[in-house]
Amino acid sequence: MRAGELDAVVLSNGLVSGTIALERGADLLELTDVERELQVLWRAPAWGRSPAGWPSAEHADAATFFDHYPGGMQEVFPNGGPSCVYEGAALGFHGEACKVPWSGELVDVGERVELRCATRLARTPFALQKTFSLGPGDRAIRIDASIVNEGRSALHYMWGFHPAFDGALLGRSARLHCPASWLRAHADRLSERQTLPPATETTWPVAADGARLDQLLDGEGRTADLWYLDGLDAGWYALEGSDGTLATMSWSAADFPYLWLWQECHSVEGYPWFGQHHIVGVEPWTSQPAAGLLAAIENGTAQLLPAGERRSVTLSIGVSHRGSAGGDPTGVSHDGHVQFREEQQ
């Protein structure tokens, strides 16, 4: 099928569907609750735009990312945040993996369908693979991803998965359920109006002053925040909308020990948002902050992959509904099913 100007592959089991664009990063462009015909990922103005037909007007630090950023979910590797030069390689904003084409092959494995994707980077000797899969009854798309260092020396990297959800769709009382205990605000000011001052460190989900931080921006005003959640005792979250919609992810906290929480609410008056959008990003990461690979190396959160070795991870992203369940979510499985506190009593 086509997703705008892009060739795309759709995986669906009648409950959940996902639209994947191999031409650009093997991005997940859409995530839909099929029964309710509800698509929860945010669509940027460049959604469905083919980079081949829209050469970037600039080649500045972030422009080559944002000019073609479609929203949805990207795999960000090997750099997170502003560009930097590592081992002589200029690594652009949010790295290279989400900007290059991937190959893809659809395979039936029993009752499951798999889309097996692969690419190699140009500026570092990394080979990447990821398989999207969906089985009967699943409420989430499973992603089995791996990186291989094909070079002759160990290399550092940052690795994250970058979903952006539609803040307007989630509603004014959206809440983030996750098992973090600590929060650090980004060190640089993002907006004149922020929930927390830059570099604030406090407890999650309730701040030291009693403010609830898991209640997300309500869509009013002009505000922006970027926080790094830490102390995860498990890897999962459920982003709950005002109507009971649950956008979920699950992963191993040993693989991705940090959760980046980004909220943009009509704040940035200039490029790239011009005050138009309400976006919520909730992103599992190996490292922090969003200051580039060199900063992560300096603070000890960058990962190091020896020559010739592979690292593999499993995660999932899904959408469901609370229904009649009571209590707060207490966990999310890789098949996207959500456990609630009421069920454990």
Side-chain angles (χ1 to χ4, degrees):
M1 67 160 285
R2 301 286 288 178
E5 300 169 355
L6 300 171
D7 287 325
V9 177
V10 175
L11 300 182
S12 181
N13 64 356
L15 299 174
V16 173
S17 73
T19 303
I20 298 137
L22 296 172
E23 186 177 335
R24 186 194 183 279
D27 286 357
L28 181 66
L29 295 183
E30 295 178 316
L31 178 66
T32 302
D33 181 325
V34 175
E35 295 171 309
R36 294 187 293 147
E37 298 182 345
L38 182 66
Q39 198 285 121
V40 295
L41 293 176
W42 178 65
R43 284 190 172 196
W47 189 93
R49 177 186 295 172
S50 172
W54 294 76
S56 202
E58 289 250 7
H59 297 286
D61 178 19
T64 51
F65 176 81
F66 286 112
D67 284 0
H68 302 297
Y69 172 48
M73 184 177 78
Q74 291 71 44
E75 181 177 358
V76 179
F77 180 90
N79 182 50
S83 62
C84 65
V85 177
Y86 172 70
E87 296 292 346
L91 304 179
F93 186 94
H94 277 358
E96 189 179 356
C98 61
K99 302 167 188 169
V100 297
W102 291 57
S103 64
E105 179 187 14
L106 274 172
V107 180
D108 289 325
V109 183
E111 294 184 307
R112 299 187 68 82
V113 61
E114 297 184 350
L115 176 63
R116 298 175 181 175
C117 308
T119 195
R120 281 178 170 79
L121 304 187
R123 297 193 175 181
T124 52
F126 284 109
L128 282 69
Q129 298 175 337
K130 60 185 167 187
T131 297
F132 299 90
S133 64
L134 196 58
D138 289 352
R139 299 292 329 197
I141 296 173
R142 175 175 168 139
I143 304 168
D144 293 288
S146 66
I147 55 173
V148 179
N149 178 358
E150 296 185 332
R152 294 192 174 188
S153 60
L155 293 171
H156 291 92
Y157 63 90
M158 300 173 74
W159 194 6
F161 284 79
H162 182 281
F165 299 99
D166 188 329
L169 178 66
L170 292 168
R172 296 187 61 177
S173 58
R175 185 178 172 199
L176 177 62
H177 306 274
C178 73
S181 60
W182 195 252
L183 174 153
R184 296 175 181 84
H186 191 64
D188 299 324
R189 179 167 291 279
L190 301 182
S191 170
E192 289 303 311
R193 295 184 58 192
Q194 296 188 187
T195 307
L196 295 173
T200 296
E201 297 190 10
T202 189
T203 50
W204 169 276
V206 180
D209 64 1
R212 288 213 70 99
L213 301 175
D214 57 352
Q215 199 77 34
L216 303 185
L217 297 178
D218 62 10
E220 301 296 326
R222 303 176 72 89
T223 58
D225 290 291
L226 175 57
W227 300 339
Y228 309 102
L229 277 57
D230 200 347
L232 293 165
D233 60 18
W236 65 272
Y237 69 75
L239 182 58
E240 183 170 10
S242 56
D243 65 349
T245 295
L246 296 164
T248 65
M249 288 195 77
S250 67
W251 66 94
S252 167
D255 293 330
F256 300 106
Y258 303 102
L259 194 60
W260 297 10
L261 173 55
W262 165 52
Q263 300 182 75
E264 159 60 32
C265 183
H266 310 295
S267 172
V268 179
E269 295 184 5
Y271 182 86
W273 311 126
F274 292 93
Q276 295 177 293
H277 304 290
H278 182 196
I279 316 160
V280 179
V282 192
E283 312 166 19
W285 277 87
T286 58
S287 317
Q288 59 83 27
L293 179 58
L294 300 186
I297 293 171
E298 185 176 355
N299 69 25
T301 64
Q303 303 293 299
L304 186 68
L305 190 64
E309 292 199 8
R310 174 187 298 269
R311 183 175 177 191
S312 299
V313 300
T314 297
L315 63 157
S316 71
I317 181 168
V319 57
S320 57
H321 192 274
R322 169 183 286 275
S324 61
D328 289 341
T330 58
V332 178
S333 60
H334 280 329
D335 61 12
H337 290 91
V338 182
Q339 296 83 51
F340 294 91
R341 193 172 307 281
E342 183 181 76
E343 298 172 348
Q344 298 180 332
Q345 297 175 350

